[in-house]
Amino acid sequence: MGANKKTRQHTVPKSYLQNFSDKSGHVWVLDSKDKIFQTNPINILVERDFYKITLQDGEESLVVEETLADIEGAFSNIFRQKICKHRF
């Protein structure tokens, strides 16, 4: 995947944030300006190019984002199939 294809990256994994959502799939947020609102976890705690790194040759890489996405995906599967169903 090229570094320019994925720019919106969660600073806290979506799979973690979803555990705080209500039945409609939304979470309550209190922002830095004391505004309280409800939104989908996909819309919070995201930064543009948060995990993009620049290699020594000047090329931009998403290797950190891709590695964390793999870990999050594996955790999410284990959580859904085992932990939340109490099947250890």
Side-chain angles (χ1 to χ4, degrees):
M1 172 185 297
N4 60 354
K5 291 191 180 189
K6 201 168 193 181
T7 60
R8 200 168 178 265
Q9 300 156 356
H10 278 87
T11 58
V12 175
K14 283 184 299 188
S15 60
Y16 183 78
L17 294 172
Q18 290 168 337
N19 290 308
F20 294 94
S21 62
D22 60 19
K23 292 179 182 177
S24 68
H26 292 91
V27 294
W28 286 97
V29 176
L30 171 65
D31 70 11
S32 60
K33 296 179 175 107
D34 290 336
K35 179 181 172 192
I36 298 173
F37 59 95
Q38 198 176 24
T39 189
N40 188 303
I42 201 163
N43 297 321
I44 59 172
L45 297 168
V46 292
E47 298 272 339
R48 182 179 176 92
D49 300 326
F50 189 73
Y51 296 110
K52 186 183 347 180
I53 60 172
T54 303
L55 303 175
Q56 288 181 343
D57 64 2
E59 182 180 344
E60 293 179 335
S61 173
L62 289 174
V63 66
V64 174
E65 165 66 16
E66 292 164 353
T67 301
L68 291 173
D70 289 343
I71 293 167
E72 180 184 355
F75 167 78
S76 183
N77 287 335
I78 291 168
F79 184 84
R80 274 194 317 275
Q81 295 170 3
K82 303 286 184 187
I83 297 172
C84 73
K85 293 180 180 179
H86 302 287
R87 294 181 183 167
F88 314 35

